[in-house]
């Protein structure tokens, strides 16, 4: 793509985990970037120097409209939102507000402002507990928690808005995102982590004294939960390629699974962390966590076919190594 064809991109949640990586990937590919983030869970320092930063809320359509006009925004990558599944069960309206209501406001501001392309950070949680070995985009979406429903509703809004207005979209359904920027520029930084690889590297670096294994009686090879862990850097590269496709084919929208099509168990992940440090994290058997499926692994045929994307950091030791390197850096800076 030639330089003059690269529109300015508004990245919501660009101070957060995945968004801050996407900002680097966009800048690396020559896209001008404006970040809007309310800094509730994100960090100002996580926003790359090359991006313009606006502190504010994406539910504020007047603010977003001003940003779109002032910076001649041609595309939006929408990462801002709430991401903790158990919290979505105890406080569902927060999720329908942050993930659905504010997305409604953002999509409206995008259409009013003439933004032509929209990439949405969706999730495998839209599938619920699918009874298939590999989840494809054709697998019915039957989310089992408010988090998954709040994201699926945004996919529906985008589908309907794209049919009615001059905008196309890519909904990217993430499997289990982990790791950190290979160059150490950003990583997962929000306190109170619940995701396995983050929790395990916190234990490996002494921030926690053990890792609880939530269930050892699943119908999986070693009895623990199996997930499709995708490196955040591969994930954000897929976003840039998806944006380039939306620009090249303005009549087309798409929904793509973002995973590697293979699973690792909790024990395999913990073994990888032990290998990386040459130490042994204390493991404590614990009951199943409510709402956890045994296995969720993607069928990623569609993304491989749709985008010129090939995984580059899919080795589990690479994912864990990058997560660990970032965790050490984070703890050094205190
Ligand atoms: N898990 C675990 N201990 C933890 C965190 C997670 O055993 O401290 C398990 C969880 O039950 C699941 C897998 O690790 O089988 C991935 O969970 P995570 O919370 O990372 O992502 P999820 O798949 O729930 O979105």
């Amino acid at each position: 793509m030639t330089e003059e064809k690269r529109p300015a991109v508004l990245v919501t949640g660009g101070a957060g985990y995945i968004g801050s990586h996407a900002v680097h990937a966009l800048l690396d590919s020559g896209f001008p970037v404006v970040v809007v983030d309310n800094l509730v869970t994100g960090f100002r320092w996580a926003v790359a120097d090359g991006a313009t930063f606006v502190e504010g809320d994406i539910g504020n359509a007047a603010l977003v409209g001003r940003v779109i006009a002032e910076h001649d925004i041609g595309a939006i990558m929408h990462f801002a939102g709430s991401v903790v599944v158990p919290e979505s069960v105890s406080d569902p309206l927060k999720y329908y507000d942050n993930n659905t209501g504010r997305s409604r406001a953002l999509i409206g501001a995008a259409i009013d402002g003439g933004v032509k392309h929209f990439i949405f950070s969706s999730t495998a949680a839209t599938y619920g507990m699918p009874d298939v070995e590999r989840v494809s985009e054709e697998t019915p979406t039957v989310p089992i928690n408010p988090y998954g429903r709040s994201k699926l509703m945004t996919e529906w809004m985008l589908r309907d808005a794209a049919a009615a207005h001059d905008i196309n979209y890519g909904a990217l359904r993430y499997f289990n995102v982990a790791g950190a920027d290979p160059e150490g520029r950003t990583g997962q930084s929000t306190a109170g982590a619940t995701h396995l690889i983050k929790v395990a590297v916190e234990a490996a670096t002494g921030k926690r004294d053990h890792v609880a294994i939530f269930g050892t009686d699943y119908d999986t090879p070693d009895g623990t939960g199996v997930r499709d862990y995708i490196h955040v850097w591969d994930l954000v590269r897929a976003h840039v390629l998806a944006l380039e496709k939306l620009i090249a084919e303005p009549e087309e929208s798409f929904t793509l699974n973002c995973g590697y099509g293979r699973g690792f168990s909790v024990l395999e992940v913990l073994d990888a962390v032990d290998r990386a440090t040459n130490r042994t994290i204390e493991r404590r058997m614990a009951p199943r966590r409510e709402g956890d499926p045994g296995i969720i692994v993607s069928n990623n045929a569609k993304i491989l076919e749709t985008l010129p994307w090939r995984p580059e950091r899919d080795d589990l030791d690479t994912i864990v190594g990058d997560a660990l390197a970032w965790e050490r850096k984070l703890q050094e800076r205190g």
Side-chain angles (χ1 to χ4, degrees):
M1 192 182 296
T2 56
E3 214 47 43
E4 60 274 14
K5 279 198 187 146
R6 296 188 186 277
V9 182
L10 166 56
V11 178
T12 77
Y17 172 40
I18 304 170
S20 66
H21 288 82
V23 170
H24 280 290
L26 285 163
L27 292 170
D28 290 354
S29 299
F31 287 92
V33 175
V34 181
V35 168
V36 174
D37 196 299
N38 62 12
L39 300 182
V40 169
T41 53
F43 302 93
R44 177 65 185 88
W45 54 256
V47 179
D49 288 340
T52 301
F53 178 71
V54 178
E55 184 172 347
D57 201 291
I58 55 144
N60 181 344
L63 171 106
V64 173
R66 266 200 313 279
V67 170
I68 290 170
E70 267 171 32
H71 298 275
D72 195 18
I73 297 293
I76 293 179
M77 277 193 194
H78 177 31
F79 297 95
S82 298
V83 298
V84 182
V85 172
E87 186 192 40
S88 83
V89 175
S90 59
D91 192 0
L93 298 185
K94 173 175 174 180
Y95 281 69
Y96 291 118
D97 182 11
N98 284 348
N99 294 354
T100 314
R102 288 173 209 222
S103 293
R104 152 72 187 87
L106 179 70
I107 297 165
I111 290 164
D112 291 346
V115 173
K116 294 282 180 280
H117 316 290
F118 198 105
I119 301 238
F120 176 53
S121 174
S122 191
T123 168
T126 54
Y127 295 112
M129 291 228 196
D131 189 19
V132 292
E133 208 169 300
R134 298 268 183 284
V135 182
S136 84
E137 294 81 353
E138 305 307 317
T139 304
T141 43
V142 193
I144 54 162
N145 50 54
Y147 171 66
R149 285 188 279 272
S150 71
K151 288 280 188 173
L152 184 58
M153 286 162 76
T154 300
E155 286 194 13
W156 291 341
M157 289 192 287
L158 282 169
R159 188 183 62 195
D160 293 339
H165 303 285
D166 183 21
I167 189 168
N168 65 344
Y169 74 93
L172 302 185
R173 292 180 178 157
Y174 310 161
F175 283 67
N176 288 61
V177 188
D181 177 45
E183 292 178 34
R185 296 172 295 185
T186 185
Q188 197 168 353
S189 310
T190 304
T194 61
H195 290 120
L196 179 64
I197 291 182
K198 175 74 175 171
V199 165
V201 298
E202 284 183 355
T205 51
K207 198 171 170 192
R208 300 176 185 250
D209 60 4
H210 73 282
V211 175
I213 299 174
F214 297 141
T216 52
D217 57 350
Y218 284 107
D219 187 15
T220 58
D222 65 20
T224 66
V226 170
R227 295 291 183 274
D228 186 344
Y229 296 93
I230 177 170
H231 195 295
V232 66
W233 190 247
D234 277 339
L235 178 70
V236 298
R237 284 194 308 106
H239 284 64
V240 175
L241 295 169
L243 174 59
E244 289 175 349
K245 185 173 173 73
L246 291 178
I247 294 167
E249 296 170 31
E251 301 305 319
E252 300 293 322
S253 293
F254 45 80
T255 299
L256 300 175
N257 282 346
C258 296
Y260 294 137
R262 54 94 182 102
F264 288 108
S265 72
V266 174
L267 297 184
E268 287 172 321
V269 168
L270 297 181
D271 286 346
V273 176
D274 284 351
R275 265 198 305 279
T277 55
N278 238 344
R279 292 179 45 209
T280 311
I281 313 168
E282 187 185 334
R283 306 170 181 198
R284 292 192 197 157
M285 303 306 166
R288 290 183 181 195
R289 197 169 56 178
E290 207 187 326
D292 267 2
I295 304 188
I296 295 280
V297 175
S298 69
N299 173 333
N300 67 356
K302 190 175 171 193
I303 189 171
L304 293 174
E305 195 179 283
T306 307
L307 303 179
W309 178 78
R310 292 296 172 266
E312 287 175 1
R313 301 190 77 77
D314 50 339
D315 186 78
L316 181 60
D317 290 313
T318 304
I319 299 174
V320 163
D322 287 345
L324 191 62
W326 176 253
E327 192 59 35
R328 288 185 170 133
K329 207 164 171 170
L330 202 58
Q331 289 183 18
E332 269 164 30
R333 84 164 75 171

